[in-house]
C-alpha cells in the first residue's frame, strides 16, 4: 500500500485534512503581489490588500499594549515619511540653488577672496562697491582681467567670450556623460513619467537612488551651462525619488504599490513647493497636473510635506534675501480696467506660443527618435550648447541666468534701480516722494534694451524648442516664463510710453494724470510669464497660485487669471494636450487621461480579444488542469493573467489568476511540497478533491491566489462606460461575459489602442504593456 514514509499517513488521510501538505499554499508566500517592470498595477486589488492589513492591525491592537503601540506607529508612519521627504527635498533644493548660482558665475569670472562665492556674495562684503555698479568690486575678477590684467578692449572681450563658451561646453558634456553612463532615466523633466507612474504604471529604477544622485548633480551642471532650461520641473522628479527612497523603509508603503503612489503624489507637491517657494501652489499642482488618484488624506499630507520642504529651504536661505519666493516684487500702483485688454492680448500670445512650442518640440523629438540624432545624444547636447553659448554671450539679457533675467523683467523701476530698463529721462522740476515715481519719457537706455529684448525673445523661442527633451535634466517652467516675461515687458513699456505721450486720449484720461505713475511694465512681464507657462502646460488654478506666491503680488490675481484662462482657451483651440500629455503620447506610455472625452458609439464586443480571426481565449479550468498544462501555457503565452472557468464546455467564469502569482506558486510548491510533479492536478476549488486512486500524484491547491471577484462587463456595455470604469477604478483588465459565460477580455492597452484608432492615430504607438 502507498504509505507516505515521512508522515506515516496515507495520501487519502492527508487529503481529508489530517495532514497539512494540501493547504501548504494557504500560507502567503514571498513575491506575490509584486508586478513586473512596465506593467500596470491593479488599484482595486492594492486597495483591498491595504484594507485587510489595516483590519488585522486594528484587531490585534486590542490584544496587548505592545500591539497597540505598533498600530499607533503604523498610523504615524505616513506623517514621518512626509516629514523626511520635506526635509530631504528642501535640503537638496537649497544645495542645487547655491551650486547653480556659483557655477553660472564661474563662466564669467572668479571671486578672489573666496573661490566658492558667487559674484553677488563676493561683492556683499566689499567696501569698494559703488551704488551704480553694485555687482562690480575688486574681489570679483573676470577671466580676462585675471589672466592678462586688462578688463577692457577687444582682446579681453574675445578671451571672456571664448572662456564662457568653453565652460558651458564642459558643464553640458559632463552632464550628458553622467546621465548616459550612470542613470539614463535622469534625463528630461521627469513630469510625463511621474504622471504615468502615478496613474499606476511601473517603471523600475525611474525613482531609484542612482537616478536621484545623478539627477541632482547633472541638474546643476545643465542649468549652469546656460542652456535654455530650468531646474523646476526636474525638482518634482527629485522629490519623487526622495519619496520612493523613504517608502522602502516602511513595509506599509514598500509592499503596496497603491499606497506608495499616495506618497509620491505628496512628494510631487513638495518638489514644486521648493522649486518656486510656493507650498500651496505645489499642493494644487500635484492635484491638478500630476496626480491620478488624490484622496483627501493625500491632500493634507501633501500640504504637510510642502510646508516642511518650504521651511527647510527657508532655513538654508539660498537666495540670501530671507525670502522664500524667487522673484519678489513690490508694485506701488493698482491696475486699471482698461489694462485688461493688453493682459488678454498677452494671454493670446501665451496660447499661441504654447501651441507653437508643443508642435515644434514634438516634431523635433520625433525626428530625434528616427534619425541619426538619437544615436549621438552627447553630440547633440554639445552642438546645442555651443550654439546657445555663442549666440547668448553678446546679448546681456541672454548671457546671465534665466532666473536673473526674469527677476529684472519683473522689477519695478524705483529710484534705486541701476538697470538699463530703468534709464528714463528725469525731470528735475518734479518734487515728489521717492517711492511714487511718475511716468517719464524713455531714455536711450530703454530703447537699446528693447532691441536687445526683442532679439532675446526670438532667440529663446527658437532655442527652447530644440533644448527640451535632450538627454539631460531639463525643466520647462523657467524658459516658458522667460519668453512671456520678455514679451510682457516690451508690451508694458509700449503701453507706458503711449500713456505718457497721449494722456489726453479717452482711454488714458480717466486714470492717467500728467506727472502720476499709472502703468507698471513689470506687471505686464508677470502676466506674460503666466500666460506662456499656461499655454505650454495648460495649468490654470495652480498656475495662478504659483505666480502670486512666486512674486508676492496678491492684488494682481485678476490679471493673472484673465491671462491664464485666455492662454488655455487659445492653446486648446490648436490641440487639447499640454506638453506633458504630448510627451506621454510620444513615448507610448499607457496613460488614460481623465480629461479625455470618449464620444464614439462602440460596444465592449468591438474591443475585446480574441477577435473573430484569432484563436480562442487561453483559460484554466477549476479542477482538470495539470501542473504541466499550466507550465506549458505560461511558457507559450505572454499574457498577464488567465481566466478560470468551470470547464471548457460550459465556459462559466469563476475567477481570474495572475500569471506572476501562478508562476511563483508552482515554483514554490515544487521546492517545498513533496509529491508535486508535472502530472499533479491543479485545483482552484474550496472543497477538497476526491482522490480516486490512493497512489495518484499529490494535487496542488491554488485557491488562495484566485481572484474570485474579477471585474466583468457584458458584451453590450457601451465603450464609453468601459473607458470610464478603467479610468476611475484604475483596472488592468476586465472580462467580458454573456449570461455568466466568458466571451473575452479587455485590457488597458486594448482600451488605449481603441481610443487611438477612433482618433485616427496609430494604435501601435502604445508600446508598453
Amino acid at each position: 500500500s502507498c504509505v507516505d514514509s515521512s508522515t506515516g499517513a496515507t495520501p487519502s488521510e492527508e487529503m481529508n485534512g489530517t495532514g497539512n501538505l494540501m493547504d501548504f499554499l494557504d500560507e502567503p508566500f514571498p513575491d506575490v503581489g509584486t508586478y513586473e517592470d512596465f506593467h500596470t498595477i491593479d488599484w482595486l486589488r492594492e486597495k483591498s490588500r491595504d484594507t485587510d492589513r489595516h483590519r488585522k492591525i486594528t484587531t490585534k491592537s486590542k490584544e496587548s499594549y505592545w500591539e497597540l503601540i505598533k498600530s499607533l506607529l503604523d498610523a504615524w508612519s505616513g506623517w514621518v515619511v512626509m516629514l523626511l521627504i520635506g526635509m530631504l527635498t528642501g535640503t537638496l533644493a537649497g544645495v542645487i540653488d547655491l551650486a547653480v548660482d556659483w557655477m553660472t558665475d564661474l563662466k564669467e569670472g572668479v571671486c578672489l577672496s573666496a573661490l566658492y562665492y558667487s559674484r553677488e556674495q563676493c561683492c556683499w562684503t566689499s567696501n569698494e562697491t559703488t551704488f551704480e555698479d553694485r555687482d562690480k568690486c575688486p574681489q570679483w575678477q573676470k577671466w580676462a582681467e585675471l589672466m592678462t590684467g586688462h578688463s577692457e578692449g577687444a582682446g579681453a572681450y574675445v578671451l571672456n567670450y571664448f572662456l564662457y563658451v568653453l565652460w558651458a561646453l564642459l558643464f553640458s558634456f559632463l552632464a550628458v556623460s553622467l546621465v548616459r553612463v550612470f542613470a539614463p532615466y535622469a534625463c528630461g523633466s521627469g513630469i510625463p513619467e511621474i504622471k504615468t507612474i502615478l496613474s499606476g504604471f511601473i517603471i523600475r529604477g525611474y525613482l531609484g537612488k542612482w537616478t536621484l544622485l545623478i539627477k541632482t548633480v547633472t541638474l546643476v551642471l545643465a542649468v549652469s551651462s546656460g542652456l535654455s532650461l530650468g531646474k523646476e520641473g526636474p525638482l518634482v522628479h527629485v522629490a519623487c525619488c526622495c519619496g520612493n527612497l523613504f517608502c522602502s523603509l516602511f513595509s506599509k508603503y514598500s509592499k503596496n504599490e497603491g499606497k506608495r503612489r499616495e506618497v509620491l503624489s505628496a512628494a510631487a507637491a513638495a518638489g514644486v513647493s521648493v522649486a518656486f517657494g510656493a507650498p500651496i501652489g505645489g499642493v494644487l499642482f500635484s492635484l491638478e497636473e500630476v496626480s491620478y488618484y488624490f484622496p483627501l488624506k493625500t491632500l493634507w499630507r501633501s500640504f504637510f510635506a510642502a510646508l516642511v520642504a518650504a521651511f527647510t529651504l527657508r532655513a538654508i536661505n539660498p537666495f540670501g534675501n530671507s525670502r522664500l519666493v524667487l522673484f519678489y516684487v513690490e508694485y506701488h500702483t493698482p491696475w486699471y480696467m482698461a489694462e485688461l485688454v493688453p493682459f488678454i492680448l498677452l494671454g493670446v500670445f501665451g496660447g499661441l506660443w504654447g501651441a507653437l512650442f508643443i508642435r515644434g518640440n514634438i516634431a523635433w523629438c520625433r525626428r530625434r527618435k528616427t534619425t541619426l540624432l538619437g544615436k549621438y545624444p552627447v553630440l547633440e547636447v554639445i552642438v546645442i550648447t555651443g550654439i546657445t553659448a555663442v549666440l547668448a554671450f553678446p546679448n546681456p539679457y541672454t548671457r546671465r541666468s534665466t532666473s536673473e533675467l526674469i527677476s529684472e523683467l519683473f522689477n519695478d523701476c524705483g529710484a534705486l534701480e541701476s538697470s538699463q530698463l530703468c534709464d528714463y529721462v528725469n525731470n528735475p522740476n518734479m518734487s515728489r516722494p521717492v517711492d511714487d515715481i511718475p511716468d517719464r519719457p524713455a531714455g536711450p537706455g530703454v530703447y537699446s534694451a528693447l532691441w536687445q529684448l526683442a532679439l532675446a525673445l526670438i532667440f529663446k523661442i527658437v532655442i527652447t524648442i530644440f533644448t527640451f527633451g535632450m538627454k539631460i535634466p531639463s525643466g520647462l517652467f523657467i524658459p516658458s516664463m522667460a519668453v512671456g516675461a520678455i514679451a510682457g515687458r516690451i508690451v508694458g513699456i509700449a503701453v507706458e510710453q503711449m500713456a505718457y505721450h497721449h494722456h489726453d486720449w479717452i482711454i488714458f484720461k480717466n486714470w492717467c494724470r500728467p506727472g502720476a505713475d499709472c502703468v507698471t511694465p513689470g506687471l505686464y512681464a508677470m502676466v506674460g510669464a503666466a500666460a506662456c507657462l499656461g499655454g505650454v502646460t495648460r495649468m490654470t488654478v495652480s498656475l495662478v497660485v504659483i505666480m502670486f506666491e512666486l512674486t508676492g503680488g496678491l492684488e494682481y490675481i485678476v490679471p493673472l487669471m484673465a491671462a491664464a484662462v485666455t492662454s488655455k482657451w487659445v492653446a486648446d483651440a490648436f490641440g487639447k494636450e499640454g506638453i506633458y500629455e504630448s510627451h506621454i503620447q510620444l513615448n507610448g506610455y499607457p496613460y488614460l487621461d481623465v480629461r479625455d472625452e470618449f464620444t464614439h458609439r462602440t460596444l465592449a464586443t468591438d474591443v475585446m480579444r480574441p477577435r473573430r480571426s484569432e484563436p480562442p481565449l487561453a483559460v484554466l479550468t477549476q479542477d482538470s488542469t495539470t501542473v504541466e498544462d499550466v507550465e506549458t501555457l505560461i511558457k507559450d503565452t505572454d499574457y498577464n493573467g488567465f481566466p478560470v472557468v468551470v470547464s471548457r464546455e460550459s465556459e462559466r467564469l469563476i475567477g481570474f489568476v495572475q500569471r506572476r502569482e501562478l508562476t511563483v506558486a508552482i515554483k514554490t510548491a515544487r521546492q517545498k511540497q513533496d509529491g508535486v510533479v508535472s502530472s499533479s492536478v491543479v485545483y482552484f476549488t474550496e472543497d477538497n478533491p476526491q482522490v480516486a486512486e490512493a497512489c495518484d500524484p499529490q494535487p496542488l491547491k491554488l485557491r488562495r491566489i484566485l481572484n474570485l471577484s474579477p471585474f466583468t462587463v457584458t458584451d453590450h456595455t457601451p465603450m464609453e462606460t468601459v473607458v470610464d470604469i478603467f479610468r476611475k477604478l484604475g483596472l488592468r483588465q476586465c472580462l467580458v461575459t454573456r449570461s455568466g459565460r466568458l466571451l473575452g477580455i479587455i485590457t488597458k492597452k486594448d482600451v488605449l489602442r481603441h481610443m487611438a484608432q477612433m482618433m485616427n492615430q496609430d494604435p501601435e504607438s502604445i508600446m508598453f504593456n
Side-chain angles (χ1 to χ4, degrees), residues 43 380 389 397 517 699:
W43 283 94
E380 185 194 7
Y397 291 106
D517 181 20

Side-chain angles (χ1 to χ4, degrees), residues 357-378:
F357 174 78
I358 292 170
R359 291 268 169 97
N361 181 250
I362 293 295
W364 178 248
C365 289
R366 281 219 168 89
R367 275 197 74 77
R368 182 186 287 132
K369 280 189 164 184
T370 52
T371 55
L372 277 176
L373 271 171
K375 285 187 186 156
Y376 304 109
V378 179

Side-chain angles (χ1 to χ4, degrees), residues 620 625-635 662 666 682:
L620 297 168
T625 317
T626 62
V627 171
E628 191 178 11
D629 296 340
V630 177
E631 286 175 333
T632 312
L633 187 64
I634 291 172
K635 201 164 75 188
L662 203 54
I666 290 178
V682 178

Side-chain angles (χ1 to χ4, degrees), residues 214-291:
I214 299 297
K215 186 117 187 179
T216 310
V217 175
T218 52
L219 186 52
V220 175
L221 289 163
V223 175
S224 310
S225 69
L227 282 162
S228 182
L229 46 85
K231 60 181 182 298
E232 281 61 25
L235 272 172
V236 175
H237 186 185
V238 167
C240 286
C241 289
C242 298
N244 195 45
L245 184 71
F246 292 124
C247 276
S248 58
L249 304 179
F250 296 87
S251 64
K252 174 179 176 179
Y253 298 110
S254 62
K255 289 185 177 168
N256 191 307
E257 293 290 345
K259 294 294 283 178
R260 188 196 300 254
R261 273 151 184 72
E262 287 178 29
V263 174
L264 295 179
S265 290
V272 175
S273 167
V274 291
F276 293 112
I280 301 170
V283 176
L284 288 173
F285 176 80
S286 182
L287 173 63
E288 181 184 3
E289 193 59 32
V290 191
S291 294

Side-chain angles (χ1 to χ4, degrees), residues 21 80 97 110 183 187 234 249 266 306 320 348 368 443 459 540 552 555 584 643 649 655 670-671 724:
L21 284 185
V80 174
D97 285 337
V110 69
C187 65
L249 304 179
V348 172
R368 182 186 287 132
F459 168 69
T540 46
E555 60 188 286
I584 286 174
E649 293 73 47
R670 276 186 179 275
Q671 285 167 1
D724 234 21

